[in-house]
Amino acid sequence: MATAAEQWVLVEMVQALYEAPAYHLILEGILILWIIRLLFSKTYKLQERSDLTVKEKEELIEEWQPEPLVPPVSGDHPALNYNVVSGPPSHNIVVNGKKCVNFASFNFLGLLDDPRVKAAALVSLRKYGVGTCGPRGFYGTFDVHLDLEDRLAKFMQTEEAIIYSYGFATIASAIPAYSKRGDIVFVDRAACFAIQKGLQASRSDIQLFKHNDMADLERLLKEQEIEDQKNPRKARVTRRFIVVEGLYMNTGTICPLPELVKLKYKYKARIFLEESLSFGVLGEHGRGVTEHFGISIDDIDLISANMENSLASIGGFCCGRSFVIDHQRLSGQGYCFSASLPPLLAAAAIEALNIMEENPGIFSVLREKCKRIHKALQGISGLKVVGESFSPAFHLQLQESTGSREDDVKLLQEIVNHHQGRGHSGTDRRRTGESRTHNQGGGPGRAAVGGSQGQVGSRRAARAGLPVAAEQPGRGLRVPGRVATDRSRGCGLGRPPRGGCWLFKHTHAHTHAHAHTHTHLKAQELVF
């Protein structure tokens, strides 16, 4: 029986072979031949090995030249030649041994030289010493830190506040503490460099909208809403953030906060508000853009600001609801891994808050002087004022440029030398990492100007050299110090801009580069 069955199977196989299509037989034949080839062919070829002699090896080593770690930089590059300031950074500073009017200070309210602030810092220095030598979680939390956080929360009328020891790291640490990979961040194209680095660290999906263009922002939100409807499961775990500045460092304009709050609730997003420039400037009591517009601070999910401007200290803070702020104590990299703020600086910030609360009239004085500066800069030949009149950072847009980056830099350095010879400190600044779309004005250059506690006059402004900058269009002037010191690349918000031109007067100057040549003037107290 078995033999008969086997014969029947063989017959069926032969019959099927004859009945199979010709292409099928050809394909099977090719596959069989390929398998046989693979089984009997070598998978590699032995290469002849030639050993080098010791002399040949030494010659090869001597001939090898490694690639440079960084591209070669000329020794006369401005970044390698500092303007050295000696003495206190007050209204007048000594730059390279020459007394000059200070154009580059963020001391909006003039508290840097206030005797009360100095006395508070001195008392703290004698009590606690200079630094902390430890992060907040490792014996770096002092009672003065807790006092400052409590005072900031009460001043901003929020539940809780957290302080950082470095202003730049505040928003750069806060963003990645909440926004992670897969989340979506809608950010203004004119966002400052600290926001850009925070976005880069978050690794989130970044959606850029045109500067202060709420229609463009809503378009992006609607597109995202449509995408969420296609994949509701993913949408449930995707967080959406809107990141803006109260007063934009790069444009001097104010954000349309009421419209942003409406879009927040309409499309269920969270708002992060960076108020480094508007804190201690806007609002009846200096609480920033929320007080300026009369918006409830509970409508903002997180407010961030540094203490290096109006408070005349160092560091930064975030404030909001308790559960939001407490998350940063575990996830804020700048908070967890940096040494805590020196107690003397925390004490100085507390005393600055005391002065701000006791004398709220200083904010209206500041805004009035900003408007006077804005008006004084009108009508200067070759320059156009851009930005809000009440902002401590105005932008002067140059109408013409040389058309060459190298020529702009060279011309600006000549202007810097000219102004230092006249007793007005300024430096050329090239800023990278900003969006090319910042050039909203359409002109080739901008400048930022700020005002604060001095007296401003058109005649003295002319003597300060403003018409000179108009007659010699270039890239930018700025004063030495903390202003415009970072030259890193940014996080993909656009190619590096051409530069900026800044002229700074007595107390405060601030500069930022944009798509073309810019001039930034910022003054806390412009006494010409």
Side-chain angles (χ1 to χ4, degrees), residues 310-322:
S310 297
L311 288 183
S313 185
I314 298 293
F317 70 92
C318 291
C319 59
R321 296 175 182 257
S322 295

Side-chain angles (χ1 to χ4, degrees), residues 401-421:
S401 171
T402 62
S404 170
R405 180 184 178 89
E406 291 74 15
D407 292 342
D408 286 343
V409 172
K410 183 178 179 181
L411 179 58
L412 285 176
Q413 190 58 48
E414 293 176 357
I415 298 175
V416 168
N417 297 336
H418 173 77
H419 278 271
Q420 283 194 354

Side-chain angles (χ1 to χ4, degrees), residues 364-428:
S364 59
V365 173
L366 170 62
R367 290 191 294 271
E368 179 62 28
K369 290 176 180 177
C370 290
K371 293 178 181 178
R372 292 172 63 185
I373 298 169
H374 188 274
K375 183 177 180 180
L377 293 172
Q378 300 287 341
I380 298 178
S381 176
L383 295 177
K384 176 183 177 182
V385 182
V386 180
E388 311 293 347
S389 61
F390 50 78
S391 168
F394 300 110
H395 293 246
L396 294 179
Q397 181 176 348
L398 296 179
Q399 296 178 356
E400 295 182 1
S401 171
T402 62
S404 170
R405 180 184 178 89
E406 291 74 15
D407 292 342
D408 286 343
V409 172
K410 183 178 179 181
L411 179 58
L412 285 176
Q413 190 58 48
E414 293 176 357
I415 298 175
V416 168
N417 297 336
H418 173 77
H419 278 271
Q420 283 194 354
R422 300 178 62 184
H424 304 109
S425 59
T427 63
D428 178 26

